[in-house]
């Protein structure tokens, strides 16, 4: 029988699989960094106090991308092209989740409604990222090659999630509560579909690289579909609840720099 830890260990032990994994991760983080940078530049005057926090969020995402690329360099590997069907962040944008890139490329101030859309999108996707990092930190936090990177990224994701909770609650108190709940629900229900499809695509590529037996691949695909059904039945609600975090003003400082991993 296999577990999430054993599957990731297989990926970690194979250069081609690890190369694809890090390339997908680095690409997604780089896109997140760009999006946050543009949003920070276009924040409406009524929400200008958010700009430094959004900038910090983007800096963290850029840092994560550099970390994944450094992990590749450490093994003398280069980033590879990310298959379209595995590009989570691009597919979210293509399906209208979050703020459209066309809007972000224009030099026009965003609206408060846009900020609600951005924070709701971040609330959902940061929950997904935090959940993944909990698993990786538990299994590989003390790993000699990737443990330091995992621990740093996991800490940042905790900060991002806390920030989303706090800022959405602030906006809810300012009268945006119904819009926030509707946007969170719409975003979460769309995200779980995309996450399922991307997970199936990534596992398909890994199965080919690692030459998994058909039976093993079938079990993994079934597990991904079962997780989607559980999320569709109610698991998505963990992505839309809001509570004041213990860690307040989590993005109020300056971004930490990435240590040199290569």
């Amino acid at each position: 029988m296999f577990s999430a830890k054993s599957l990731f260990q297989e990926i970690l032990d194979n250069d081609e699989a690890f190369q694809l994994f890090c390339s997908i991760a680095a690409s997604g983080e780089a896109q997140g960094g760009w999006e946050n940078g543009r949003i920070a530049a276009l924040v409406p005057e009524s929400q200008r106090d958010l700009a430094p926090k959004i900038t910090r969020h983007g800096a963290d995402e850029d840092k994560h991308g550099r970390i994944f690329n450094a992990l590749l360099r450490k093994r003398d590997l280069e980033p590879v092209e990310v298959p379209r069907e595995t590009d989570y962040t691009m597919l979210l944008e293509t399906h209208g989740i979050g703020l459209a890139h066309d809007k972000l490329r224009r030099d026009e101030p965003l609206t408060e409604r846009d900020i609600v859309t951005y924070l709701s999108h971040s609330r959902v996707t940061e929950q997904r990222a935090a959940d993944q990092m909990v698993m990786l930190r538990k299994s590989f936090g003390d790993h000699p090659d990737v443990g330091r990177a995992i621990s740093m990224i996991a800490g940042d994701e905790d900060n991002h999630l806390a920030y989303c909770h706090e800022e959405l609650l602030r906006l809810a108190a300012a009268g945006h509560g119904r819009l926030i709940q509707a946007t969170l629900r719409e975003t979460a229900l769309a995200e779980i579909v995309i996450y399922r499809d991307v997970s199936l695509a990534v596992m398909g590529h890994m199965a080919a690289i690692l030459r998994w037996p058909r039976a093993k691949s079938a079990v993994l695909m079934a597990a991904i579909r079962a997780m989607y059904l559980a999320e569709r039945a109610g698991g998505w609600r963990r992505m839309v609840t809001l509570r004041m975090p213990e860690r307040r003003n989590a993005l109020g400082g300056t971004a930490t720099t990435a240590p040199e991993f290569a």
Side-chain angles (χ1 to χ4, degrees):
M1 193 60 186
F2 42 83
S3 62
K5 180 177 181 179
S6 67
L7 292 174
F8 188 74
Q9 187 65 59
E10 285 190 64
I11 293 170
L12 190 60
D13 290 342
N14 181 280
D15 278 351
E16 186 178 357
F18 187 71
Q19 187 177 35
L20 178 60
F21 173 84
C22 288
S23 297
I24 291 171
S27 174
E29 298 287 359
Q31 180 169 315
W34 178 84
E35 290 172 356
N36 278 277
R38 290 302 300 154
I39 292 167
L42 301 175
V43 168
E45 193 59 37
S46 62
Q47 298 294 324
R48 288 308 301 173
D49 288 348
L50 266 181
K53 298 178 182 180
I54 300 171
T55 299
R56 160 78 184 274
H57 191 177
D60 284 347
E61 304 287 0
D62 285 336
K63 176 182 69 179
H64 299 169
R66 294 194 303 273
I67 288 173
F68 283 114
N69 283 322
L71 290 172
L72 287 175
R73 289 196 302 273
K74 189 174 181 179
R75 287 169 61 161
D76 294 325
L77 299 172
E78 294 291 332
V80 295
E81 184 176 353
V82 175
R84 180 180 176 84
E85 66 275 14
T86 69
D87 194 332
Y88 172 78
T89 49
M90 183 273 293
L91 289 171
L92 288 172
E93 196 268 338
T94 300
H95 285 77
I97 301 175
L99 295 176
H101 285 187
D102 285 346
K103 177 188 287 286
L104 296 181
R105 290 189 182 99
R106 296 195 295 267
D107 289 325
E108 299 174 5
L110 300 174
T111 65
E112 287 198 358
R113 189 182 187 95
D114 290 330
I115 296 302
V116 168
T117 297
Y118 152 68
L119 285 169
S120 297
H121 168 264
S122 295
R123 161 70 184 97
V124 171
T125 56
E126 293 297 342
Q127 182 69 60
R128 180 70 72 187
D131 290 347
Q132 292 176 329
M133 295 313 299
V134 165
M135 182 276 292
L136 288 175
R137 182 156 53 178
K138 180 179 178 181
S139 300
F140 294 95
D142 58 354
H143 191 280
D145 294 326
V146 299
R148 193 156 52 111
I150 287 172
S151 294
M152 172 172 280
I153 294 171
D156 288 343
E157 302 298 2
D158 289 343
N159 284 337
H160 299 167
L161 194 53
Y163 149 76
C164 292
H165 277 275
E166 185 173 4
E167 297 302 334
L168 283 170
L169 285 170
R170 179 182 61 81
L171 287 170
H176 296 286
R178 288 190 177 182
L179 174 61
I180 288 169
Q181 282 303 318
T183 307
L184 282 171
R185 185 181 190 278
E186 179 183 6
T187 303
L189 289 174
E191 190 276 346
I192 62 174
V193 175
I194 292 171
Y195 182 73
R196 176 202 62 192
D197 293 346
V198 168
S199 297
L200 290 170
V202 171
M203 285 301 104
H205 282 279
M206 293 301 175
I209 292 170
L210 297 170
R211 299 181 180 179
W212 286 337
R214 283 189 181 179
K216 181 174 181 176
S217 296
V219 170
L220 285 172
M221 299 301 185
I224 291 169
R225 293 188 176 96
M227 186 179 79
Y228 163 74
L229 292 175
E231 290 194 328
R232 186 66 181 83
W236 61 273
R237 288 186 174 86
R238 80 187 188 285
M239 297 178 164
V240 304
T241 56
L242 295 174
R243 62 186 180 279
M244 189 57 69
E246 293 183 9
R247 189 178 305 184
R248 304 290 292 272
N249 197 29
L251 296 187
T254 56
T256 57
T257 57
E260 182 54 59
F261 288 96

